[in-house]
Amino acid sequence: MSYVEISQKEFEYVLSHLGRSGYTWKKIEQDGAKENIYMVSINGINVKVFSSIVNGVSRDVGSDAVRVVGWDIQTDRPVTSSEMRVNRTDNWAFNLRERIDKVISKMVNIEKCKICGGTLLEMKGKYGKFKGCLNYKSHDKVEKKVNKLTEKDIAYYRDWE
């Protein structure tokens, strides 16, 4: 397996070609980040791509894998990720697209919270597994603002807490 150098320009060129399939992307500035981070979106679904590119070129072999993570932008938290990282091999661009598509397909089936629109995930509590909203801490504020929720909706979510 031969490793190739990836420049920031080349990486962004590959991301730009995702646009032909309806994807959009932008570089994210994140305090303390040791690599370039990109947000890739389609139909309201967001994926963060951690590029391993530093100062315009990819890191040394061994610390160079690209990671693809499904992202909840409302809570700024990870939701799901690809099973495999993208290594800097000759077919890295194809593998990156494949990983992005796979994470996006996982996120299509993720339920959204009726109260705040946040992501519902399976969680573990002291009474076992349940579906919970990543943004549950804001529910009291949302409930006061939104009068359109029925008592049945509110009771449904309170049973989870």
Side-chain angles (χ1 to χ4, degrees), residues 78-143:
V79 177
T80 186
S81 64
S82 65
E83 287 80 23
M84 299 174 61
R85 301 176 303 174
V86 178
N87 291 317
R88 205 176 70 209
T89 57
D90 291 329
N91 57 346
W92 72 269
F94 174 80
N95 291 339
L96 176 61
R97 171 63 188 261
E98 186 178 71
R99 303 304 189 285
I100 290 171
D101 287 345
K102 190 165 196 156
V103 171
I104 293 282
S105 70
K106 285 181 185 178
M107 294 195 51
V108 165
N109 297 323
I110 290 178
E111 295 176 63
K112 295 293 185 180
C113 176
K114 291 180 183 177
I115 293 174
C116 69
T119 301
L120 295 179
L121 291 180
E122 187 173 279
M123 299 179 179
K124 291 180 184 177
K126 65 181 182 179
Y127 300 110
K129 293 180 181 180
F130 65 97
K131 282 193 180 177
C133 177
L134 287 178
N135 201 28
Y136 74 93
K137 291 180 181 177
S138 72
H139 284 183
D140 288 338
K141 295 175 196 167
V142 172
E143 286 178 15

Side-chain angles (χ1 to χ4, degrees), residues 6 11 15 30 32-40 46-54 59 62-71 78 80-88 92 95-101 103:
I6 303 172
F11 196 88
L15 291 178
Q30 190 168 314
K34 297 179 181 176
E35 61 192 335
N36 291 350
I37 301 171
Y38 299 89
M39 184 69 75
V40 177
N46 300 287
V47 173
K48 265 192 182 179
V49 179
F50 297 85
S51 71
S52 78
I53 294 177
V54 180
R59 289 192 295 240
S63 61
D64 65 330
V66 178
R67 296 174 328 279
V68 179
V69 179
W71 209 261
T80 186
S81 64
S82 65
E83 287 80 23
M84 299 174 61
R85 301 176 303 174
V86 178
N87 291 317
R88 205 176 70 209
W92 72 269
N95 291 339
L96 176 61
R97 171 63 188 261
E98 186 178 71
R99 303 304 189 285
I100 290 171
D101 287 345
V103 171

